[in-house]
Amino acid sequence: MSEIFKGNFTQQEPLPEASLAAAQEVLGHGRLHRYNLTPGEAGEVALLEQEFAAFTGASYCLATASGGSAIGVALRAVGVQPGDAVLTNAFTLAPVPGAIAALGARSIFVEVTEDLVIDQDDLAAKLGQAQVLLLSHMRGHICDMDRLMALCDAAGVTVVEDCAHTMGATWKGVPSGRHGAVACYSTQTYKHLNSGEGGLLITNDEDIAARAVLLSGSYMLYERHLAAPGPEVFERHRMEVPNISGRMDNLRAAILRPQLADLPRQIARWNERYSVVEEGLRGTPGLQIVARGEGEAFVGSSIQVLLPGWRPEAVQEVLARCAKRGVELKWFGGATPVGFTSRYAHWEYAAPEALPRTDAVLAGLIDMRLPLTFSLEDCALIARIIRAEVGAVYQAKTASAG
Ligand SMILES: *Cc1c(COP(=O)(O)O)cnc(C)c1O
């Protein structure tokens, strides 16, 4: 009799008690707008910004309404104009090309490698075509950042980092998001902190920071920020930067602050789960574990494996067989997007050019979330199920191929 998994791949943990208490307090006084403060009160959003700046070691931080809005603000703050080209990964999620499109700018997609990071040879060949790279650390895979920054610096290309999946990760000890000019994070329910919706942006550049605050909709109340530059920096930008309203509110910041304090412990728990699944899958014939870079300390909130060279029907059979046993796998090789699994060829508004190397990788790319509601036993069971079903389909496939 085959084992069945009964857990839910989209169920996160309840929020900590401290978040409930903090939310209660904000709801009790009713000052939800970030700038609605009593004399001497800092406000939950300003405190969150201060704490996230300290967590990453950045000089400045801005909280926003979503991860996508943080990216939009970042692109505008570094000077992207309508019609400009922006380089970005071909393997990422839809809000990334979406943020570029929202500005009226154009995406130029860069190939991805089998390690699921940006292909730096393809990047080097395309650097002359744009002034900005929106680098997405998709699914938490971090490329060789020394090489990437050297290439971009030499070409005068500004790097904006999308750290939606690398909050709390590091590369050679440097927090992810501290290499480029500015970095963006998401606090949407499926990321590493959960406020339903929300985003954070960090930078060490005072002009980018001031423009970002003004763009987010500060109503000239920027002196109420605790992780922003001084008023003299705002003086340089205040009349020139539009308000595109994308602020965070005190309720969401209140529930995020206790979660941020607890993030290191949660990261350790994610990585335990990741290791159990990875070990359980290692050595499965026909299945390739995605390698992790040497300098990378990642957050294992999801896992990716490749079924390299598999026919689409065989991949689909694995998915169907696993689904029957309660294991929900996502596939980035489908002809049409299902849920969040869209890939570059589906973003027709961005008029993507064909990227054969990326197509070959995504055709065999399987993705699975690892919510913290899974126990380590759950993770071992999930790995056994995937291993068995991949094995069954692979055997049939090689048998029929003769
Ligand atoms: C979630 C996510 C974002 C930001 O998304 P929001 O839903 O707007 O918070 C950006 N990039 C990637 C890769 C993401 O997964």
Side-chain angles (χ1 to χ4, degrees), residues 316-370:
Q316 266 165 324
E317 197 183 330
V318 169
L319 260 60
R321 294 175 71 122
C322 288
K324 265 196 193 145
R325 297 179 64 182
V327 175
E328 210 183 293
L329 301 177
K330 303 291 179 184
W331 180 40
F332 277 91
T336 53
V338 179
F340 59 78
T341 62
S342 73
R343 61 192 154 86
Y344 81 91
H346 301 145
W347 304 324
E348 291 178 6
Y349 57 83
E353 278 177 30
L355 298 169
R357 197 164 168 203
T358 299
D359 289 338
V361 172
L362 297 187
L365 178 61
I366 302 294
D367 177 54
M368 184 175 77
R369 284 200 181 107
L370 291 171

Side-chain angles (χ1 to χ4, degrees), residues 167-180:
M167 182 190 283
T170 60
W171 199 78
K172 288 193 178 168
V174 177
S176 181
R178 292 296 313 286
H179 295 89

Side-chain angles (χ1 to χ4, degrees), residues 114-117 141 274 278 288-293 296 304:
E114 283 201 336
D115 297 341
L116 302 187
V117 296
H141 298 272
Y274 185 97
E278 188 183 49
Q288 187 176 317
I289 304 269
V290 175
R292 291 289 186 167
E296 205 184 345
Q304 293 73 43

Side-chain angles (χ1 to χ4, degrees), residues 179-191:
H179 295 89
V182 44
C184 305
Y185 304 78
S186 169
T187 63
Q188 189 237 75
T189 296
Y190 303 108
K191 311 300 163 86

Side-chain angles (χ1 to χ4, degrees), residues 109-306:
F109 295 106
V110 183
E111 296 261 28
V112 68
T113 72
E114 283 201 336
D115 297 341
L116 302 187
V117 296
I118 195 163
D119 180 333
Q120 301 214 32
D121 296 330
D122 192 41
L123 175 65
K126 290 174 175 165
L127 277 175
Q129 298 178 42
Q131 239 114 64
V132 173
L133 165 65
L134 174 52
L135 175 67
S136 184
H137 303 295
M138 179 61 176
R139 284 298 183 253
H141 298 272
I142 305 178
C143 69
D144 178 341
M145 290 302 296
D146 291 341
R147 180 174 176 212
L148 182 123
M149 289 311 300
L151 281 174
C152 291
D153 287 346
V157 167
T158 303
V159 177
V160 174
E161 294 184 74
D162 167 23
C163 300
H165 304 159
T166 56
M167 182 190 283
T170 60
W171 199 78
K172 288 193 178 168
V174 177
S176 181
R178 292 296 313 286
H179 295 89
V182 44
C184 305
Y185 304 78
S186 169
T187 63
Q188 189 237 75
T189 296
Y190 303 108
K191 311 300 163 86
H192 300 167
L193 303 179
N194 177 8
S195 60
E197 302 285 354
L200 290 157
L201 174 160
I202 59 164
T203 182
N204 272 4
D205 182 304
E206 61 180 22
D207 292 295
I208 291 174
R211 284 197 293 268
V213 168
L214 293 164
L215 283 161
S216 78
S218 66
Y219 297 111
M220 301 298 168
L221 299 171
Y222 42 77
E223 291 190 43
R224 295 184 192 172
H225 284 245
L226 298 175
E232 69 289 355
V233 183
F234 285 90
E235 286 299 328
R236 301 203 281 270
H237 303 285
R238 51 181 271 152
M239 311 297 267
E240 281 164 20
V241 175
N243 171 332
I244 59 168
S245 274
R247 294 168 302 272
M248 184 177 279
D249 56 84
N250 283 328
L251 179 58
R252 284 186 280 171
I255 66 177
L256 287 170
R257 291 179 59 214
Q259 295 180 60
L260 177 60
D262 200 29
L263 186 56
R265 189 181 70 90
Q266 299 294 66
I267 290 173
R269 294 178 64 220
W270 263 307
N271 289 347
E272 277 173 358
R273 283 155 182 77
Y274 185 97
S275 297
V276 170
V277 175
E278 188 183 49
E279 283 316 307
L281 292 180
R282 202 175 285 288
T284 305
L287 177 146
Q288 187 176 317
I289 304 269
V290 175
R292 291 289 186 167
E294 242 175 63
E296 205 184 345
F298 61 94
V299 182
S301 53
S302 69
I303 187 163
Q304 293 73 43
V305 296
L306 295 172

